[in-house]
Amino acid sequence: MLDANIIRTQPETIRQMLTDRNKDTKVLDMFLSADSEWRALTDENNRLRKVRNEVSVQISKMDGKEKEAKVIEMRDVSERIKNNDATMAELDLTREDCLLNIPNIPHSSVPIGKDSTENVLVRECGAKRKFDFTPKQHWEIAEALDIIDFDRGVKVAGSGFYCLKGDGARLERALINFFLDTHAEQGYTEVFPPVVVNKAALTGTGQYPNLKDDMYYLERDEMFLNPTAEVPITNLLMDEILDKEQLPILYTAYLPSFRREVGKHADTKGIIRVHEFNKVEMVRFVHPETSYDVLEDLRKDAEDLITALGLPYRVLLLCTGDMSFACSKCYDIELHAPANDVWLEASSCSNFTDFQARRARIKFRPEPHLKSEFIHTLNGSGLALPRTMVAILENYQNKDGTVTVPEVLRRYMGGKEIVG
């Protein structure tokens, strides 16, 4: 969340930020109104308590009617303080709710725009493949090779789920292992956190309450299936104060993730948008002075995976209207799928500055004698599996219906070069 002092002292800046992000400014007005009243009551209660303390000393020296009158007067003062405290508690809940629903401030380098059509192309890498035959869709390839089973996936879990089998399952596992091994070489520590998360964790990274309707909720246990591994990884450090020497901390993890978003979009055929998907995540905890330089390193870590796989891709700098709630700057990395000549997001690399750390209370101490400060957090997909699988199947398909295994994955598939 944002520092409340920034909202108080720069309300018009925050109002413009909300407009640039296509967000309703009512949440700002609600906060300012509740905050103003809360501060006024705080000042009044401080004054009343001071009066009560002073009069209490005086009462001890009084007697008779004068003392009785002052005691009655102080009872009224105490009642007023009690009522103010009750009102302030309600106002504090309103302020907290508003703070949880105000997004992060975009970095000055982020382009202002309404939606994805106004994202900025940073660069395009790798030549699109030219075919001497008509390329097939990924689901056509996979079903013909008998490496995916949509019908049985639906039978087990319902629409939006699927089952990989044979070399399809093996290819998925090869990708996960390749991603994790590469991240280890890049300096990340592998972790394997829980798949389920609590509301505090989701609040810490900004998915709650903003995206609560897109998540699977386990009502009996008041838990959620994680919407992205970013949530459990980042919150491993919730409520901790780190030493400066511990930074930076780099974590990577593989986890299945879950979202309800299928049906909101037209491209639900195949595995481009599904309810459950595998993903390898990168998370960094860094000193505030370095976070924007680290964002470029994080993006390169994701790009190195794609380059090794030999897939054409492009990098986009997201505009204000397309960025996620918590990030201050974000790059999307998209893979080319040749069957429909479309670009598919396989990684999103974001700097959240201190937005998540403030919500999750993750701090560091610059020096032993100095006050602790909030760290900066970053995360990036490295990579999301379904769309990476789509890009491999479509870019590496052969005229005879087989699929060539990317060279870097063959050691994970027992040296296999062709899926056929």
Side-chain angles (χ1 to χ4, degrees):
M1 66 179 71
L2 298 181
D3 185 342
N5 285 324
I6 292 177
I7 302 174
R8 291 188 192 111
T9 58
Q10 303 177 45
E12 294 313 308
T13 298
I14 302 302
R15 190 178 305 279
Q16 185 61 53
M17 178 272 287
L18 290 168
T19 300
D20 292 341
R21 275 180 165 270
N22 296 329
K23 303 295 184 182
D24 197 326
T25 59
K26 288 181 181 178
V27 65
L28 172 62
D29 295 328
M30 287 177 61
F31 173 82
L32 293 174
S33 175
D35 186 60
S36 177
E37 186 177 355
W38 182 88
R39 286 186 293 153
L41 290 175
T42 299
D43 291 342
E44 181 180 356
N45 269 10
N46 289 338
R47 178 180 59 80
L48 291 173
R49 286 190 173 95
K50 182 180 179 182
V51 169
R52 186 175 62 182
N53 291 338
E54 292 174 349
V55 173
S56 294
V57 174
Q58 297 170 8
I59 287 175
S60 65
K61 301 175 183 179
M62 296 177 182
D63 53 28
K65 292 184 178 180
E66 182 185 17
K67 181 175 183 178
E68 183 179 344
K70 282 296 182 182
V71 169
I72 293 173
E73 182 183 339
M74 288 306 100
R75 285 174 184 166
D76 291 340
V77 169
S78 295
E79 187 66 20
R80 181 63 185 271
I81 292 172
K82 179 181 177 181
N83 291 337
N84 284 349
D85 281 341
T87 302
M88 289 166 60
E90 294 177 1
L91 290 169
D92 204 33
L93 290 175
T94 300
R95 294 193 315 158
E96 183 71 15
D97 184 64
C98 289
L99 286 174
L100 290 176
N101 284 282
I102 295 176
N104 202 357
I105 300 172
H107 188 258
S108 58
S109 62
V110 173
I112 296 174
K114 293 181 179 180
D115 53 37
S116 60
T117 62
E118 298 187 69
N119 293 337
V120 175
L121 177 64
V122 176
R123 67 173 177 275
E124 190 173 316
C125 301
K128 295 180 182 178
R129 181 179 171 185
K130 295 181 179 179
F131 294 85
D132 57 2
F133 60 94
T134 302
K136 295 180 179 179
Q137 305 277 3
H138 70 277
W139 67 83
E140 297 176 299
I141 302 167
E143 286 185 316
L145 292 173
D146 197 26
I147 60 174
I148 196 167
D149 194 324
F150 291 106
D151 292 338
R152 290 191 172 101
V154 171
K155 182 194 300 185
V156 170
S159 177
F161 295 88
Y162 63 99
C163 175
L164 292 171
K165 55 190 291 193
D167 283 335
R170 200 175 185 190
L171 182 59
E172 181 100 343
R173 180 161 51 87
L175 283 165
I176 292 169
N177 287 333
F178 166 61
F179 294 162
L180 290 173
D181 286 350
T182 301
H183 292 324
E185 294 169 1
Q186 292 167 337
Y188 293 83
T189 298
E190 184 178 346
V191 294
F192 203 167
V195 173
V196 295
V197 292
N198 56 34
K199 188 168 76 172
L202 290 162
T203 301
T205 45
Q207 280 78 11
Y208 191 94
N210 183 50
L211 297 174
K212 63 180 181 180
D213 292 335
D214 284 339
M215 293 183 283
Y216 283 95
Y217 179 50
L218 310 176
E219 186 173 0
R220 178 176 176 178
D221 302 297
E222 297 185 348
M223 303 284 279
F224 295 79
L225 298 181
N226 86 87
T228 167
E230 165 198 343
V231 177
I233 301 174
T234 303
N235 285 283
L236 290 175
L237 300 187
M238 182 195 297
D239 291 319
E240 294 191 24
I241 300 177
L242 307 169
D243 294 329
K244 182 180 69 174
E245 291 72 22
Q246 292 177 268
L247 300 177
I249 295 174
L250 284 67
Y251 285 153
T252 186
Y254 150 71
L255 275 187
S257 299
F258 306 83
R259 295 179 190 173
R260 291 181 175 276
E261 63 181 352
V262 173
K264 295 182 179 179
H265 309 270
D267 55 343
T268 55
K269 181 72 172 176
I271 62 173
I272 291 175
R273 284 195 181 275
V274 288
H275 288 308
E276 178 184 351
F277 56 98
N278 290 319
K279 184 153 69 95
V280 173
E281 197 80 13
M282 303 174 287
V283 174
R284 293 195 183 205
F285 305 85
V286 304
H287 192 286
E289 294 177 358
T290 67
S291 64
Y292 285 103
D293 290 332
V294 170
L295 177 60
E296 304 304 316
D297 295 336
L298 183 71
R299 187 188 73 185
K300 183 179 181 300
D301 289 345
E303 289 185 60
D304 285 348
L305 299 172
I306 301 170
T307 300
L309 289 170
L311 296 170
Y313 70 95
R314 69 179 185 181
V315 179
L316 300 175
L317 174 60
L318 300 195
C319 70
T320 53
D322 197 35
M323 284 200 310
S324 69
F325 176 84
C327 71
S328 65
K329 186 174 183 178
C330 179
Y331 293 104
D332 271 4
I333 305 175
E334 299 180 334
L335 304 177
H336 185 250
N340 284 332
D341 191 22
V342 295
W343 296 95
L344 303 174
E345 177 198 331
S347 179
S348 188
C349 297
S350 305
N351 182 3
F352 303 106
T353 59
D354 65 354
F355 190 84
Q356 292 182 331
R358 190 177 297 276
R359 295 166 75 108
R361 301 167 300 282
I362 308 172
K363 296 183 175 183
F364 78 104
R365 203 175 297 282
E367 298 295 341
H369 63 286
L370 295 179
K371 183 180 178 181
S372 60
E373 301 176 14
F374 291 106
I375 64 167
H376 280 197
T377 61
L378 302 94
N379 94 280
S381 314
L383 302 164
L385 270 297
R387 293 176 182 180
T388 304
M389 180 77 81
V390 169
I392 288 174
L393 292 176
E394 293 193 7
N395 279 282
Y396 280 93
Q397 64 180 295
N398 301 310
K399 191 173 184 178
D400 62 0
T402 62
V403 173
T404 300
V405 178
E407 189 172 349
V408 293
L409 300 181
R410 293 173 188 172
R411 65 190 177 104
Y412 298 101
M413 296 188 67
K416 191 161 195 169
E417 298 182 7
I418 296 290
V419 173

